[in-house]
Every structure is written in C-alpha cells, then in structure tokens.
C-alpha cells in the first residue's frame, strides 16, 4: 500500500518512469537494509542469550559443587529467553548462599578466636579454603555455643571464688605476693584468663587460704582454752576477764 501510494504521488508530481523505477529500487534497498539490520540485532541477541546460558550452566555446576548441592535441572521445553532467565536467577540465588555461608563462617571464626583466647583452647578445625557445608556450619555453631556456655560457667566460678579469696585474704591479713594472686584480686575481671589450669589454680588457692584460716581458728581456740584455764587457776575476777574478751 505504501508503494502504491508513492507511485500515485510520483505520477501526480510528474516524475518520469525511469526516475520512478530508480526511486522504487532505492525504497526497496532502504527497507531491505533496515530489515537486515534488525535481523542482525536479533541474531546478536540470540547469540548473547545462548552464550549466557552456557556461562550460567558452567557457573551453576561450580556453585553446586562448592555448596555440595545436587545439579540444577532446567526445563528443556522452555524458550531460550525463559531458560536464560531461570539459569541466571538460580545463579544469583546460589551466589547469595555462598556469600552468606562465607560471612557466617567468618563471624564464627572471630567468635571462636575470642573465646579461645579467653579459655586457652584450640581453634575449631575447619577448611577455610572452601565453602562450608550446612553441616559444617551447624557443627561450628554448636561448638561456639558450647564454648560460650563454658566461658560463662568459668566466669561465674571465677567471680565466686575471687570474692571468697579476697575476704579470706583480708581476714588473714594476707597481701598478694605472687603474680597469680595479683591477677586474681585485680579489678579487671575480663583480663583474667579462664583456662582450665587457671581455674584449678584458683581452686587450690582458695583451699590453701581456707586451710590457713582453719589452722588459725584451731590455734585461737586452743589459746582461748588455755587463757580460760589460767583465769580459773589464777582466780581472775570477771571484770578483768571482760576487759580482755574484746580481743
């Protein structure tokens, strides 16, 4: 219809037949060039989609191996466009899973290092060069949780024993004379290393102080008994006895 309209216009204008043929040929060439360009663009789009599908498949295989997942199955009957979109979307999902696992692993390692410094224990054994499996992360979480529980138990034991040790030292008029004793009575409780050896040493120190107090009490009781016996033998009046009773 467009060509027929053009021919009518050319005829009305009075363009000679020879020029009308030339113009018709120019229109045909222009339309063909435009269509060829459009076909080339769409062919290029198709090639890009096919290349993207190949790359996405490769990346999916790699991600599935790293994440220890089964291979991703695509619907063979779907179009190229839909297949490329499905693959690309799945790649993005697995990439996020990989990032999330690595970020959680990093966070767990930081917690593990801090707890190991406090408790003087060995770090959790895990391959940091690969993406951790869900089972690995679950084991790591439970390990860190158990260390936190152990830290709280030892911290509570330390605080309780420290309080008793300080009271006993004051009662016995004992000045801390070793580096360990000074660490125990130090005001900065967070600085005390909650290792198993330190907790055992803390218990031993408490037992030693309790034994000293018990010994002192036994000596005092014996001396009081001797004083009482001497008062009786010397027939010391009650007034003098009461004056000494404050001691």
């Amino acid at each position: 219809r467009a060509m027929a309209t053009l021919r009518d216009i050319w005829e009305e204008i009075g363009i000679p037949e020879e020029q009308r043929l030339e113009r018709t040929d120019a229109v045909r060439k222009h339309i063909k060039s435009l269509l060829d360009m459009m076909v080339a663009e769409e062919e290029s789009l198709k090639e890009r989609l096919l290349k993207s599908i190949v790359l996405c498949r490769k990346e999916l295989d790699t991600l599935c191996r790293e994440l220890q997942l089964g291979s991703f199955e695509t619907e063979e009957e779907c179009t190229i466009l839909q297949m490329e979109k499905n693959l690309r979307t799945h790649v993005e999902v697995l990439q996020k899973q990989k990032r999330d696992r690595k970020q959680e692993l990093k966070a767990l390692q930081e917690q593990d290092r801090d707890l190991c410094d406090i408790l003087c224990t060995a770090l959790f054994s895990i391959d940091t060069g690969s993406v951790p499996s869900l089972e690995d992360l679950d084991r790591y979480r439970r390990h860190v949780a158990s260390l936190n529980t152990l830290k709280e138990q030892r911290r509570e034991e330390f605080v309780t024993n420290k309080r008793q040790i300080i009271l006993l030292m004051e009662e016995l008029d004992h000045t801390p004379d070793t580096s360990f004793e000074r660490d125990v009575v130090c005001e900065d409780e967070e600085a005390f290393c909650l290792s198993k050896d330190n907790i055992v040493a803390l218990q031993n120190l408490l037992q030693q102080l309790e034994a000293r107090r018990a010994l002192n009490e036994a000596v005092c009781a014996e001396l009081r008994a001797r004083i009482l016996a001497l008062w009786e033998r010397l027939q010391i009046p009650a007034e003098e006895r009461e004056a000494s009773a404050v001691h």
Side-chain angles (χ1 to χ4, degrees):
R1 287 198 303 269
M3 290 303 299
T5 302
L6 284 173
R7 280 194 293 270
D8 289 341
I9 293 171
W10 292 335
E11 188 174 349
E12 288 177 10
I13 292 173
I15 295 175
E17 181 66 21
E18 184 178 347
Q19 290 183 16
R20 276 188 274 172
L21 292 175
E22 290 176 359
R23 291 184 178 223
T24 300
D25 189 54
V27 170
R28 184 186 60 78
K29 288 180 179 180
H30 180 70
I31 294 173
K32 182 177 183 301
S33 174
L34 178 62
L35 291 174
D36 287 345
M37 182 179 66
M38 294 174 66
V39 169
E41 288 177 355
E42 299 307 303
E43 286 286 354
S44 176
L45 172 60
K46 178 183 173 183
E47 290 300 319
R48 289 199 304 274
L49 290 172
L50 291 173
K51 285 180 181 179
S52 177
I53 287 173
V54 172
L55 291 174
C56 285
R57 284 187 186 279
K58 287 182 179 179
E59 191 163 2
L60 272 177
D61 290 340
T62 301
L63 287 168
C64 286
R65 282 196 306 272
E66 290 178 334
L67 297 171
Q68 301 178 35
L69 301 173
S71 58
F72 178 71
E73 300 295 333
T74 57
E75 298 179 13
E76 297 299 332
E77 295 182 359
C78 64
T79 63
I80 293 175
L81 190 64
Q82 189 61 48
M83 182 181 293
E84 193 274 341
K85 181 182 178 182
N86 291 345
L87 290 170
R88 182 161 40 80
T89 301
H90 204 64
V91 165
E92 291 171 357
V93 170
L94 294 188
Q95 284 175 337
K96 185 178 184 303
Q97 285 187 26
K98 180 178 177 180
R99 286 194 304 272
D100 290 346
R101 289 194 198 180
K102 286 200 162 189
Q103 287 174 357
E104 184 175 4
L105 175 61
K106 183 179 178 182
L108 288 170
Q109 285 177 312
E110 290 176 356
Q111 295 177 56
D112 191 21
R113 277 192 294 270
D114 292 341
L115 288 167
C116 287
D117 287 342
I118 296 171
L119 300 171
C120 296
T121 55
L123 290 168
F124 185 77
S125 178
I126 189 169
D127 183 10
T128 57
S130 60
V131 181
S133 66
L134 294 176
E135 292 77 12
D136 289 338
L137 288 175
D138 184 57
R139 282 197 300 272
Y140 208 167
R141 279 189 224 105
R142 285 187 276 111
H143 174 75
V144 169
S146 67
L147 289 184
N148 269 313
T149 301
L150 179 61
K151 185 191 79 170
E152 292 305 318
Q153 290 173 347
R154 289 185 179 176
R155 179 74 65 195
E156 184 178 352
E157 185 176 358
F158 165 68
V159 170
T160 302
N161 289 345
K162 173 184 175 178
R163 191 179 300 116
Q164 292 176 298
I165 286 169
I166 291 174
L167 290 174
L168 283 168
M169 285 184 174
E170 291 175 353
E171 191 175 354
L172 296 167
D173 197 20
H174 174 80
T175 303
D177 53 7
T178 67
S179 60
F180 180 75
E181 290 181 2
R182 286 191 289 271
D183 287 342
V184 170
V185 300
C186 176
E187 293 183 1
D188 186 7
E189 295 181 351
E190 298 297 325
F192 186 80
C193 177
L194 298 174
S195 66
K196 185 177 180 181
D197 290 342
N198 274 2
I199 295 298
V200 171
L202 190 71
Q203 293 168 344
N204 291 338
L205 175 59
L206 179 59
Q207 291 170 1
Q208 290 169 11
L209 293 172
E210 287 174 338
R212 283 178 57 185
R213 182 180 66 175
L215 179 61
N216 284 5
E217 287 177 343
V219 171
C220 287
E222 182 185 353
L223 291 173
R224 289 192 186 98
R226 289 174 61 188
I227 289 170
L228 184 60
L230 289 168
W231 277 343
E232 294 296 332
R233 290 177 63 185
L234 296 171
Q235 297 181 350
I236 301 297
E239 294 79 9
E240 291 187 31
R241 296 185 188 189
E242 289 174 0
S244 300
V246 293
H247 303 294

